[in-house]
């Protein structure tokens, strides 16, 4: 059995000892005011939350068995969270976690037990309930060995397994008692173990969180959080500059970032992971079932122009179906921008006079302007891309109904190639299937290699399979990789996160028990 490194055990012990140290109430600040670009909150149940606004709130209310160190999205930074230690079998198929004793849930829902963990992870793996069930497809069983010990058995090795049960997506732990008691109301009345607990929500206005004084790492230094729902970029900016907001979701555009950096008492945070922007081509829709048409689209997209439009600081260029910087990314030659070649391919494919495609586009400022640039580029070679612009929730709903020929989509996943390949390019994840995730292209080119990589016994073997999968996906032209759109948040210089922000898988700065706000 492989024991957890000693440094992590010592760190966990330190956190356990600190949990009993009370923070004097006089040291706490007043309300932290946050502005987000959302019209409303959709899901506060962690097995359903996927929108940026939902993920931010979830990250402040819940914990996983393990967590990414605050300010990091690097898998090597994973450290103890609700589990104080763990060990794994030599073959990586059996993982045993020892839970912290005495961790309290919000409200009157008692203390964390192995039963809550088993319930939470089985719930996350439920294909009828969870948006992240596919992440748990390799889990064979989850058992409570005793009140503070959980064993997870896999039917195949999972690259980066600890990321699966971290404080991210389905890895967040809920109170079994609360879910069973509240039923469907749990989504709007969540119960976690995190530093902040749900207070109330006002539809299309704000969500209110309160500090959890019994948080196991110590009482937060901020009293509460007012999470204002402000979809208008200009309104959010005005509220921030007038001092009404302390932290806002920014515009991920270089020009805006450059301007914001000149504001008084302001810090602009640009951090990973980038949401990998990709143009998926639905191969079940005519004429995209024609390889030459897909190739023509790939050669008509001027990626350098798009990156120049977005800005290299906030939107570095991609070159593979796997996002830049993920473990296992194989940076094959990107599709060359060549309008004349594109026109020739259309002619060879039987569309010398051009063709028309449709695309459902979000009205979001981080999507619509890019789609308009791509629309213009395709028009130059005779491809008429008709944009149907809808609000962001409607966009998510309709693209999952297979209504769009071309799907522009951006997402951040656990930064290992398997997570992206499995969810976006394996045929099991194709839209319309019971196991659907986000394979909008209905791609199947890399299936065998993606599956083989999961069963590989060495990292070198796994990397080779992932590289082969990416090459086959590129050759099939399932998609046109674009760029990684990094996260941009802007804060008052008086707000100190309590750590250096380099990354946050939940797409928002983590507000912890150490975060402080020193008002002037």
């Amino acid at each position: 059995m492989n024991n957890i490194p000693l440094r992590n055990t010592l760190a966990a012990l330190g956190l356990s000892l600190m949990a009993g140290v009370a923070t004097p109430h006089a040291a706490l600040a007043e309300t932290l005011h946050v502005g987000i670009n959302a019209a409303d909150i959709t899901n506060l149940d962690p097995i359903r939350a996927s929108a940026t606004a939902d993920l931010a709130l979830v990250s402040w209310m819940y914990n996983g068995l393990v967590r990414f160190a605050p300010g990091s999205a690097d898998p090597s930074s994973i450290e103890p969270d609700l589990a104080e230690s763990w060990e794994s079998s030599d073959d990586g198929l059996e993982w045993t976690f020892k839970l912290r004793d005495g961790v309290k849930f919000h409200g009157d829902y008692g203390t964390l037990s192995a039963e809550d963990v088993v319930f939470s992870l089985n719930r996350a793996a439920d294909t009828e309930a969870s948006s992240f069930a596919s992440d748990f497809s390799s889990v064979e069983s989850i058992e409570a060995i005793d009140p503070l010990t959980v064993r997870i058995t896999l039917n195949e090795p999972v690259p980066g397994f600890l990321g699966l049960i971290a404080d991210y997506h389905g890895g967040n732990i809920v109170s079994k008692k609360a879910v069973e008691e509240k039923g469907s109301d749990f989504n709007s009345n969540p119960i976690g173990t995190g530093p902040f607990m749900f207070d109330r929500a006002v539809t299309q206005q704000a969500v209110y969180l309160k500090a959890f004084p019994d948080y196991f790492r110590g009482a937060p230094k901020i009293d509460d959080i007012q999470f204002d729902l402000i979809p208008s970029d200009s309104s959010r900016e005005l509220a921030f500059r007038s001092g009404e907001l302390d932290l806002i979701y920014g515009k991920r555009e270089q020009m805006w970032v450059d301007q914001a950096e000149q504001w008084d008492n302001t810090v602009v945070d640009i951090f990973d992971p980038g949401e990998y922007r990709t143009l998926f081509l639905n191969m079940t829709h005519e004429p995209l079932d024609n390889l030459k048409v897909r190739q023509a689209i790939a050669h008509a997209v001027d990626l350098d122009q798009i990156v120049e439009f977005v800005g290299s600081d906030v939107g570095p260029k991609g070159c593979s179906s796997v996002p830049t910087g993920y473990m296992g990314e194989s940076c094959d030659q990107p599709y060359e921008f060549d309008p004349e070649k594109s026109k020739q391919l259309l002619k060879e494919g039987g569309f010398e006079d051009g063709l028309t495609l449709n695309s459902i586009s979000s009205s979001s400022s981080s999507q619509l302007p890019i789609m308009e640039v791509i629309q213009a580029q395709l028009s130059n070679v005779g491809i008429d891309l008709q944009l149907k612009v809808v609000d962001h929730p409607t966009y998510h709903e309709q693209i999952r109904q297979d209504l769009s020929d071309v799907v522009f989509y951006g997402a951040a996943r656990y930064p290992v190639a398997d997570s992206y390949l499995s969810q976006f390019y394996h045929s099991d994840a194709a839209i319309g299937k019971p196991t659907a995730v986000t394979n909008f292209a209905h791609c199947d080119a890399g299936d065998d290699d993606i599956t083989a990589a999961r069963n590989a016994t060495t990292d070198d073997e796994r990397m080779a399979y992932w590289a082969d999968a990416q090459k086959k996906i590129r050759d099939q032209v399932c998609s046109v990789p674009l760029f990684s759109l990094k996260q941009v948040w802007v804060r008052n210089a008086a707000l100190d996160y309590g750590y250096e922000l380099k990354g946050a898988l939940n797409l928002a700065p983590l507000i912890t028990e150490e975060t402080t706000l020193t008002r002037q």
Side-chain angles (χ1 to χ4, degrees), residues 188-222:
S188 54
N189 291 278
I191 298 294
T193 56
F196 294 90
M197 53 186 176
F198 180 79
D199 181 14
R200 69 190 190 280
V202 179
T203 302
Q204 297 184 342
Q205 292 187 35
V207 179
Y208 299 85
L209 306 183
K210 298 186 298 185
F212 182 36
D214 294 322
Y215 183 51
F216 68 90
R217 286 189 169 89
K221 297 175 181 178
I222 288 175

Side-chain angles (χ1 to χ4, degrees), residues 131-139 158 164 168-170 413 419 423:
S131 297
F132 313 112
S134 64
D135 293 347
F136 294 84
S137 60
S138 298
V139 174
V158 175
L164 191 71
Y168 170 64
H169 283 176
R413 296 290 184 264
S419 63
Q423 294 186 26

Side-chain angles (χ1 to χ4, degrees), residues 326-337:
Y326 279 38
M327 185 179 81
E329 174 205 7
S330 179
C331 189
D332 204 348
Q333 182 66 33
Y335 300 112
E336 180 186 7
F337 172 57

Side-chain angles (χ1 to χ4, degrees), residues 62-81:
Y62 293 94
N63 298 92
L65 285 174
V66 298
R67 71 172 184 173
F68 289 83
S72 175
D74 182 350
S76 68
S77 76
I78 285 179
E79 62 184 25
D81 203 10

Side-chain angles (χ1 to χ4, degrees), residues 45-265:
D45 186 333
I47 65 167
R48 299 292 296 175
S50 59
T52 301
D54 300 344
L55 286 172
L57 290 164
V58 163
S59 73
W60 304 337
M61 293 190 291
Y62 293 94
N63 298 92
L65 285 174
V66 298
R67 71 172 184 173
F68 289 83
S72 175
D74 182 350
S76 68
S77 76
I78 285 179
E79 62 184 25
D81 203 10
L82 295 177
E84 62 182 9
S85 63
W86 61 87
E87 57 186 20
S88 67
S89 59
D90 291 338
D91 59 9
L93 295 179
E94 186 176 283
W95 295 75
T96 304
F97 297 85
K98 187 69 175 178
L99 305 181
R100 298 182 191 279
D101 192 7
V103 173
K104 292 184 179 181
F105 280 109
H106 302 157
D108 299 320
Y109 288 94
T111 57
L112 173 76
S113 72
E115 187 178 8
D116 294 299
V117 174
V118 172
F119 175 82
S120 297
L121 298 182
N122 277 327
R123 189 167 174 264
D126 184 349
T127 56
E128 295 185 4
S130 172
S131 297
F132 313 112
S134 64
D135 293 347
F136 294 84
S137 60
S138 298
V139 174
E140 183 174 295
S141 64
I142 308 169
E143 309 165 85
I145 304 304
D146 61 45
L148 291 176
T149 307
V150 175
R151 178 181 298 145
I152 301 174
T153 303
L154 307 177
N155 53 37
E156 61 183 0
V158 175
F161 170 72
L162 288 176
L164 191 71
I165 43 88
D167 55 338
Y168 170 64
H169 283 176
N172 288 297
I173 303 302
V174 300
S175 161
K176 178 183 178 183
K177 178 181 177 182
V179 173
E180 292 179 339
E181 179 182 297
K182 295 175 181 290
S184 61
D185 288 340
F186 182 83
N187 185 48
S188 54
N189 291 278
I191 298 294
T193 56
F196 294 90
M197 53 186 176
F198 180 79
D199 181 14
R200 69 190 190 280
V202 179
T203 302
Q204 297 184 342
Q205 292 187 35
V207 179
Y208 299 85
L209 306 183
K210 298 186 298 185
F212 182 36
D214 294 322
Y215 183 51
F216 68 90
R217 286 189 169 89
K221 297 175 181 178
I222 288 175
D223 273 326
D224 46 31
I225 300 173
Q226 180 174 323
F227 194 73
D228 289 326
L229 305 166
I230 310 174
S232 166
D233 294 328
S234 58
S235 297
R236 226 166 39 252
E237 177 183 329
L238 181 62
F240 177 81
R241 299 191 69 179
S242 66
E244 297 174 42
L245 296 174
D246 306 300
L247 172 67
I248 63 170
Y249 180 89
K251 290 180 70 173
R252 292 184 283 178
E253 299 172 6
Q254 193 69 47
M255 185 178 299
W256 188 89
V257 166
D258 292 343
Q259 292 172 349
E261 288 178 336
Q262 304 306 311
W263 301 343
D264 293 338
N265 301 315

Side-chain angles (χ1 to χ4, degrees), residues 29 492 494-496 516-520:
N492 187 310
L495 176 62
D496 182 351
T516 57
L517 180 61
T518 308
R519 297 193 185 278
Q520 302 300 319

